[in-house]
Amino acid sequence: MELSFTQGRWNYESWGGFDPISSSNAKPPGVELWAVFDVPQHHIDASWKNLTHTLSGLFCASINFLESTATYSTPEWSFPPASGNVRYGTLPCEAVCTENLTPWLKLLPCRDKAGIALLLDRPSLYRGFYHSQRGRCVLAKSSSVYLLLDRGLVAELKFPNKENGKSAANGLTSENFWSNPSFELSVNPDRIFLEESSSHSKSLSILYMFQVEKYSESEPFDIGLMWKVPVAWLCQQTPLHASRFLMGSGNERGAIAISLKSTQFTEGFMSANSKDGSCELRVDVFQVVPWYVKVYFHSLRVFVDQQPRAVSDFIEKIHVSPSKDKMSPGVMEVVLKLPCRVNTAALTIEFDKGFLRIDEYPPDANQGFDIPSAIISFPNFHASMVFLEDDSLNRSPLLSKFQEKCPVMSYTEVLLVPLTTPDFSMPYNVITIKCTVFALYFGSLLNVLQRRVAEEERFLKAKAAKKTGRLPLLLSKLSAKLRGRRREPLHSPPSSSSFINSKLVLKVILVAGLAVGWQYFFS
Amino acid sequence: MEKVKKKIGSFSFWNWVTASIIFRLILIYFPKNLNLSSRPEVSTPLTSFRRLAEGYWLKQSFMSPYAGSMYHGSPLLLSLLGPLTINSLVSVIADVVSAMLIRATGQNLRLAYLRSLESLDLVKQIEVSEFLFSGDIAALIYLCNPFTIVACVGLSTSPIENMAVILCLYGACSRLIPLAAFGWVIATHLSLYPAILIIPVIFLLGCGPDSPPRKLFLQRHQQKEVLNQSKLPPRFSWGPVIHFAFWAFLWSVYVLVLCGISLKQFGGLWEMFKSTYGFILTVEDLSPNIGVLWYFFAEVFEFFRNFFLIVFHVNILFMILPLAIRLRHRPCYLAFVYVAICSMLKSYPSVGDSALYLGLLGWFVNELADMQFSLFLFCGYVGVSLLSPVMHNLWIWRGTGNANFYFATAMVYACLQIVLVVEGVSAMLNHDRKLRNLITGKPQDAKS
């Protein structure tokens, strides 16, 4: 299981993407959670729900939003172990603040009163461009501070006796490696680790270790690095620089494009490696898209070196799990095989924007909705640094972590998709107007269907008038009324007026009698 | 003179037909993209070709075509239309076939009307020579209607659904019972609502095409005191109806078996019913269209959703019985009214549905000559079809309008259709009254 809280975006162009720190530790903005479950398949979703709720309570974050099936997905290949037991969920717009840091620190034995955590000064931490917390706690026996000199930096700095250092790669302190004309360290490192030869670059990283327990209140640990000469260096970058953006305008449809551009690393490395000309760079793309961004998978197109190419030429395998409305997001996993000398490559896919009900919009509906970061990984390359240690019993967990062979990964940007909103102030108006229109239809159609013509009634009246006597007249009128025929005024007005009067009196007497009886019955 | 007139009339009919086909072909092969297929008035989640392409792609990738809430149509359409690249030509062919069938049925109806007038001895009183050729007019209205052209060019499956409905009515009118059953089964399979056309079809097969009410014939013969049974319209006969039921059963079993085979490993028929009929009945997709249900179900509270779903669908079902009772002697007109009510109240209407009933309206130009508000309706239809894209653009593309603007045009459209149906029914009943007055010799009332 891995949980991370990140604010800011890792700048792959300046800060590199090939070393373990940027490959395994740089995380997408917001909250990311993935977990592998060991329970039977039908229990996994319930376990995931429990997990999200527990973590939400522990870390004071709204991780419980990940519990609904519309927010998490089941990747097939992207996360080792490749099985159906992995669940992956991310909240891209979750803001990270000190309330999230405090529960993390509570997990440490001395919290932030002593130890490493003393260094975590809130204002300076949150003022930075990028900060990330990740949960992968391995307890170390002793606390140390490490200073890593990147391969690119080491290539820039000119260490004396570099050739000697390569042969004596057993991590002993060597005077040659921490004194340098370009910089000066205020404290001498306790140990220096050299990286074992890396296949991907000529220079090797250097790791300085400072043990904190040697210092105390009287002799505080104050490490500083002073540059004597301005040094600029390029961190080693991922084979292809990945970025993602939206295309199209308007609130009806659009397209997502993932573009891969070659970096200096690619140019330098690939030309050295492509002996027979048939080397291929394998790129894995994993993308989760929420259900209201309805992706048309058949519109997936591949552009290599800015030329549209047939999809089957470059896509080795593709696994697609289409989104179900309100139920699950759309997952796309693509394995691309690009030629090593590729300059640029792009994947585009079109989508339609969905329409939600008014209760499905977040409070700020016009801001838009987030599409989480896509994960681009390069399985051909492993971002790991192997530092030889002589003391295998006392293995530092950080060095063990550096030695893990995990593929080089980079995260793309989070995309913000504006969706059209209905008018939120209108539910009652819409319902009443709609129902009025329906009543209009219903009433007028029934009226037209059952309407009887005037002549028919006049005919019936004429027939009735032939009969003598008031009682048959009364009865015929009553029957006409029951059958819903319109009452026509009679041809003899005087009799009608007295007739109406007597009828009125009869009605009044009837109603009065009913009222008296009711009162009597219920009093 | 009459023969010459007839010849000229039929000549210009074929002219018009070819002109409309050429116009459609021009629009299909127009170099600039007209973007008609993305208009919500034309393609709905049920009829969109793009979704059909997505369903076809999913099927080719060995996944269920209903896997992702994209495709909600019939699996038979997937197999038929998926591989075809020139999908628009299929719609053109469907339109032409529908027009020919409308023409044939119209001629049938006209002949039946003339025959019934003869047997009522009203030929002199009603100017028969002024009768328009309702079959030709109906076919031309159907072909040259901008709604039909847009639905054909705009990559929608509504021309095929319309063709199935017209096939059913043609078969029933011409007593071709297997054809009628086939049309009815396919129309119900493609979209759920033509199921209610079974009632006019039963009346058509039992009694024959449209004729004045039976009691008029009885009254006439009472007057003349000649009881010539051969001139009376035949009584309701159950034989053809049972024949039809048998064929309908056969065709539906065949269709279900075909669907079951194509969806065998993807969940079978239940999955298909849930994704097609269930989708239609539960109105899950709230994309805007020319109907009124989308905004309603976007705004209504969750608690009342099921209640209003039932109310709206019962609204269609409730009107079946009163209309059937009142218009049982005119089954084709009853079919027209049913089609109009369905296309007004269905979950995802489009202009293709309006094209169907406007075409069928052409069969009754002689009977509905006195319909009120005809100019108002015509101007209303023109106005709504012009304003609706404008309001949609304002709302979605420019952001200066509101959802209410577009919804208002949809409401006006619904009101226009209501007025059309009500006035049409009223005009037909008035026509029957006029005939009755002519027979019984009563003076004609101005407002009857």
Side-chain angles (χ1 to χ4, degrees):
Chain A
M1 185 207 87
E2 204 170 288
L3 168 69
S4 73
F5 288 75
T6 313
Q7 179 93 343
R9 194 170 65 84
W10 183 264
N11 193 343
Y12 286 98
E13 279 160 325
S14 329
W15 304 338
F18 208 89
D19 46 294
I21 292 180
S22 40
S23 179
S24 331
N25 298 340
K27 287 291 171 186
V31 171
E32 191 203 40
L33 172 67
W34 67 268
V36 181
F37 292 91
D38 211 4
V39 294
Q41 197 75 9
H42 47 273
H43 284 319
I44 292 186
D45 289 327
S47 315
W48 171 267
K49 192 168 166 188
N50 283 338
L51 178 69
T52 50
H53 280 271
T54 316
L55 288 174
S56 172
L58 268 180
F59 291 106
C60 298
S62 17
I63 305 177
N64 55 334
F65 286 167
L66 287 176
E67 69 161 345
S68 90
T69 46
T71 46
Y72 67 88
S73 57
T74 313
E76 292 274 317
W77 311 322
S78 305
F79 288 92
S83 62
N85 294 346
V86 183
R87 294 289 187 268
Y88 176 81
T90 152
L91 292 172
C93 50
E94 179 79 10
V96 177
C97 58
T98 52
E99 267 117 36
N100 300 119
L101 184 59
T102 317
W104 286 82
L105 296 176
K106 279 195 201 162
L107 296 174
L108 295 174
C110 298
R111 299 199 186 184
D112 58 343
K113 306 293 179 211
I116 294 290
L118 262 183
L119 294 172
L120 295 170
D121 177 37
R122 306 295 201 272
S124 50
L125 201 63
Y126 288 97
R127 232 185 285 148
F129 291 125
Y130 177 87
H131 59 88
S132 173
Q133 297 148 217
R134 202 164 128 249
R136 257 286 192 103
C137 302
V138 181
L139 284 179
K141 294 205 179 80
S142 59
S143 41
S144 338
V145 172
Y146 293 88
L147 182 65
L148 176 70
L149 293 183
D150 197 40
R151 292 183 193 130
L153 176 58
V154 171
E156 282 289 324
L157 302 171
K158 295 190 179 38
F159 279 100
N161 302 344
K162 227 159 96 176
E163 296 77 20
N164 278 349
K166 262 196 182 152
S167 55
N170 49 6
L172 296 170
T173 53
S174 166
E175 298 272 333
N176 300 331
F177 284 102
W178 58 268
S179 68
N180 192 281
S182 312
F183 69 90
E184 191 184 303
L185 284 171
S186 60
V187 181
N188 281 351
D190 298 310
R191 296 182 75 179
I192 300 183
F193 294 99
L194 265 187
E195 190 192 350
E196 260 191 63
S197 60
S198 131
S199 57
H200 300 304
S201 96
K202 297 192 189 74
S203 54
L204 309 167
S205 309
I206 301 176
L207 195 66
Y208 297 128
M209 186 182 115
F210 304 85
Q211 274 178 333
V212 177
E213 48 211 11
K214 286 200 313 196
Y215 304 90
S216 59
E217 273 302 318
S218 49
E219 257 187 70
F221 176 54
D222 186 11
I223 178 170
L225 189 143
M226 203 165 62
W227 293 101
K228 292 187 203 158
V229 182
V231 181
W233 74 98
L234 195 64
C235 294
Q236 195 173 27
Q237 296 183 347
T238 50
L240 293 174
H241 175 69
S243 74
R244 194 173 65 158
F245 49 92
L246 282 175
M247 301 199 300
S249 68
N251 278 336
E252 200 178 43
R253 54 183 181 268
I256 301 177
I258 298 178
S259 96
L260 302 162
K261 283 206 197 83
S262 63
T263 57
Q264 278 189 350
F265 168 87
T266 336
E267 286 158 15
F269 166 69
M270 295 304 176
S271 52
N273 228 17
S274 56
K275 298 169 199 131
D276 45 3
S278 68
C279 99
E280 277 188 332
L281 179 62
R282 185 180 144 172
V283 181
D284 285 358
V285 176
F286 170 70
Q287 179 160 257
V288 177
V289 163
W291 67 265
Y292 36 81
V293 172
K294 301 181 191 190
V295 170
Y296 287 102
F297 291 110
H298 75 275
S299 64
L300 179 67
R301 290 200 290 176
V302 176
F303 294 83
V304 174
D305 291 330
Q306 294 174 348
Q307 297 292 324
R309 306 291 288 269
V311 164
S312 45
D313 283 346
F314 293 96
I315 292 189
E316 193 193 321
K317 30 181 197 169
I318 178 167
H319 173 252
V320 147
S321 170
S323 59
K324 277 197 111 50
D325 278 359
K326 303 187 207 348
M327 294 275 290
S328 63
V331 177
M332 181 174 82
E333 294 178 85
V334 177
V335 175
L336 283 172
K337 282 275 171 90
L338 298 170
C340 285
R341 288 182 175 279
V342 65
N343 220 358
T344 57
L347 275 176
T348 58
I349 194 161
E350 294 172 19
F351 65 87
D352 269 355
K353 297 191 189 179
F355 292 85
L356 309 173
R357 301 185 207 155
I358 53 173
D359 49 2
E360 287 168 357
Y361 283 91
D364 183 11
N366 287 306
Q367 184 198 24
F369 291 79
D370 297 288
I371 302 182
S373 305
I375 304 179
I376 315 283
S377 57
F378 303 93
N380 291 347
F381 306 95
H382 294 286
S384 62
M385 290 194 233
V386 182
F387 295 93
L388 270 192
E389 277 184 293
D390 51 353
D391 193 358
S392 56
L393 294 171
N394 218 357
R395 281 204 90 85
S396 159
L398 186 68
L399 298 184
S400 322
K401 186 79 180 46
F402 277 171
Q403 283 172 14
E404 273 177 18
K405 269 177 131 33
C406 39
V408 173
M409 263 191 349
S410 69
Y411 288 89
T412 61
E413 297 88 337
V414 170
L415 296 174
L416 192 65
V417 171
L419 291 183
T420 41
T421 57
D423 191 347
F424 294 104
S425 62
M426 287 283 279
Y428 291 112
N429 302 3
V430 167
I431 295 175
T432 49
I433 293 177
K434 253 324 295 297
C435 292
T436 308
V437 168
F438 270 71
L440 180 74
Y441 147 77
F442 194 81
S444 44
L445 194 56
L446 273 183
N447 184 25
V448 159
L449 283 178
Q450 63 88 45
R451 191 167 54 192
R452 295 293 171 197
V453 199
E455 289 112 65
E456 268 183 77
E457 258 193 277
R458 260 185 259 128
F459 176 60
L460 278 167
K461 293 286 172 299
K463 211 165 72 172
K466 283 185 206 148
K467 298 191 182 140
T468 54
R470 197 174 275 188
L471 194 61
L473 198 60
L474 251 173
L475 280 172
S476 73
K477 280 211 196 328
L478 195 61
S479 71
K481 193 156 196 165
L482 279 173
R483 260 176 281 168
R485 295 185 185 176
R486 251 183 308 143
R487 285 211 51 195
E488 284 285 340
L490 286 184
H491 50 272
S492 50
S495 58
S496 70
S497 55
S498 64
F499 185 70
I500 285 169
N501 271 345
S502 66
K503 202 161 185 241
L504 191 63
V505 166
L506 260 171
K507 273 189 195 167
V508 168
I509 292 171
L510 188 65
V511 169
L514 270 174
V516 165
W518 184 271
Q519 189 75 357
Y520 184 68
F521 187 65
F522 276 111
S523 62
Chain B
M1 184 59 191
E2 171 105 5
K3 235 188 234 178
V4 174
K5 203 168 156 191
K6 211 172 182 178
K7 215 171 173 185
I8 292 173
S10 72
F11 180 66
S12 59
F13 169 74
W14 289 110
N15 259 4
W16 279 106
V17 169
T18 35
S20 71
I21 295 176
I22 289 171
F23 186 59
R24 273 167 231 257
L25 289 174
I26 290 175
L27 282 180
I28 289 172
Y29 291 110
F30 202 65
K32 268 207 280 195
N33 190 9
L34 286 169
N35 256 334
L36 276 176
S37 56
S38 57
R39 290 231 61 85
E41 292 94 356
V42 175
S43 67
T44 63
L46 288 176
T47 60
S48 163
F49 248 76
R50 209 152 174 238
R51 291 190 178 230
L52 196 144
E54 179 74 6
Y56 185 63
W57 185 90
L58 286 172
K59 190 142 180 257
Q60 297 296 97
S61 320
F62 306 108
M63 280 192 273
S64 164
Y66 303 117
S69 298
M70 265 301 195
Y71 181 62
H72 295 280
S74 146
L76 301 181
L77 269 186
L78 267 186
S79 324
L80 273 176
L81 297 177
L84 290 179
T85 49
I86 27 172
N87 294 318
S88 297
L89 288 185
V90 172
S91 312
V92 173
I93 294 170
D95 271 349
V96 171
V97 168
S98 315
M100 293 304 119
L101 292 174
I102 289 181
R103 180 169 187 245
T105 321
Q107 282 169 346
N108 220 337
L109 282 175
R110 184 168 172 272
L111 284 173
Y113 188 40
L114 284 176
R115 240 183 291 128
S116 56
L117 280 185
E118 271 174 21
S119 66
L120 285 176
D121 285 328
L122 285 176
V123 183
K124 292 186 206 67
Q125 282 155 307
I126 297 183
E127 290 102 8
V128 182
S129 58
E130 291 292 320
F131 265 19
L132 301 163
F133 291 95
S134 50
D136 290 357
I137 289 186
L140 283 182
I141 290 179
Y142 185 76
L143 270 184
C144 302
N145 194 353
F147 287 168
T148 333
I149 295 177
V150 157
C152 171
V153 172
L155 295 178
S156 141
T157 59
S158 14
I160 299 170
E161 291 173 16
N162 294 351
M163 185 175 81
V165 169
I166 292 169
L167 202 66
C168 168
L169 290 176
Y170 168 73
C173 247
S174 322
R175 299 288 177 137
L176 296 167
I177 293 176
L179 194 64
F182 177 69
W184 183 75
V185 164
I186 293 290
T188 311
H189 177 67
L190 290 178
S191 68
L192 179 60
Y193 296 93
I196 63 174
L197 286 177
I198 189 144
I199 293 176
V201 163
I202 288 178
F203 282 132
L204 267 175
L205 293 172
C207 298
D210 289 16
S211 60
R214 204 180 151 67
K215 58 177 193 204
L216 289 190
F217 289 95
L218 293 172
Q219 273 182 334
R220 187 50 130 184
H221 289 286
Q222 271 176 6
Q223 284 185 348
K224 298 265 168 142
E225 283 147 7
V226 171
L227 276 164
N228 194 350
Q229 286 285 346
S230 61
K231 274 203 169 178
L232 283 173
R235 286 198 162 275
F236 191 84
S237 55
W238 284 101
V241 176
I242 295 174
H243 201 189
F244 172 80
F246 167 70
W247 272 104
F249 176 71
L250 215 61
W251 283 116
S252 39
V253 163
Y254 182 57
V255 163
L256 287 176
V257 161
L258 280 180
C259 292
I261 290 173
S262 65
L263 290 177
K264 201 165 46 179
Q265 59 260 52
F266 301 131
L269 284 176
W270 175 243
E271 185 71 30
M272 182 187 90
F273 284 130
K274 212 160 52 130
S275 296
T276 53
Y277 292 172
F279 179 72
I280 293 174
L281 290 175
T282 56
V283 192
E284 286 170 9
D285 193 297
L286 299 173
S287 334
N289 47 55
I290 203 130
V292 287
L293 260 65
W294 58 277
Y295 202 46
F296 189 86
F297 285 109
E299 298 269 359
V300 81
F301 301 112
E302 189 69 31
F303 186 72
F304 296 106
R305 208 182 135 75
N306 286 336
F307 168 69
F308 279 111
L309 273 175
I310 295 175
V311 164
F312 290 153
H313 289 294
V314 161
N315 245 330
I316 301 179
L317 292 176
F318 182 81
M319 274 306 171
I320 293 179
L321 197 62
L323 281 168
I325 292 174
R326 202 73 167 86
L327 289 172
R328 63 182 178 274
H329 52 281
R330 293 190 179 275
C332 279
Y333 191 69
L334 187 65
F336 159 72
V337 176
Y338 282 169
V339 168
I341 290 178
C342 279
S343 55
M344 183 167 67
L345 298 176
K346 70 195 299 194
S347 334
Y348 306 99
S350 70
V351 291
D353 307 314
S354 309
L356 178 64
Y357 72 76
L358 287 175
L360 297 186
L361 186 64
W363 282 340
F364 311 105
V365 281
N366 297 315
E367 290 97 332
L368 295 180
D370 296 327
M371 191 166 96
Q372 288 181 322
F373 301 130
S374 43
L375 181 64
F376 166 73
L377 284 171
F378 177 73
C379 295
Y381 269 97
V382 168
V384 167
S385 42
L386 290 175
L387 268 183
S388 166
V390 171
M391 296 303 174
H392 185 252
N393 192 338
L394 276 183
W395 174 34
I396 301 245
W397 294 92
R398 293 178 193 269
T400 51
N402 211 344
N404 300 331
F405 289 41
Y406 189 67
F407 184 60
T409 53
M411 295 278 285
V412 170
Y413 189 66
C415 289
L416 284 176
Q417 287 174 308
I418 291 172
V419 170
L420 175 68
V421 166
V422 169
E423 288 307 318
V425 170
S426 172
M428 188 56 89
L429 294 175
N430 282 345
H431 182 77
D432 283 340
R433 276 187 210 113
K434 189 176 84 170
L435 286 181
R436 194 175 57 228
N437 289 341
L438 283 177
I439 288 175
T440 53
K442 277 256 165 73
Q444 285 230 23
D445 222 322
K447 198 170 165 113
S448 53

